[in-house]
Amino acid sequence: MIIKPRGRTNRSKYGNQKVNIDGHTFDSKLEARYYNELKLLKRAGEIKDFELQPSFELQPSFKKYSKTIRKIEYKADFKVVNNDGSVEIIDIKGHKTKEFNLKRKMFDYKFDLPLRVLAFDKTQGWYEIW
């Protein structure tokens, strides 16, 4: 695992330190940690596959009064395909944000996929925050 040195350009929009693993840049150490765990789960045969940063269109772009309104998109951290073929969308969060709360509602309305929002605690491991 390569961790880039600290610096202004090495931070995500929420101040997390970005991490580069296997040529992928993660917005936080926690995302990178979860990625490493997914790799182990896949290698052990406990999950079928996973995908990084799947994108979901929540609202298409449209025109109104000759002005083009951009589409609203949600990029999750991971899409996990379980051995039984079921799919889970995973987002790693350090804290709740208003922007995510709105996108979560739009996602839940439009997509029939479970969206799990996880945080990490050193004593209890990964847990769902909502």
Side-chain angles (χ1 to χ4, degrees), residues 56-68:
F56 300 90
E57 184 179 79
L58 302 176
Q59 176 183 297
S61 65
F62 62 95
K63 283 192 176 249
K64 186 171 184 175
Y65 307 122
S66 301
K67 183 178 178 183
T68 300

Side-chain angles (χ1 to χ4, degrees), residues 2 11 14 32 47 57-58 62 90 112-113 119:
I2 299 170
R11 298 280 176 178
Y14 295 108
I47 62 170
E57 184 179 79
L58 302 176
F62 62 95
I90 307 290
D112 189 24
L113 291 169

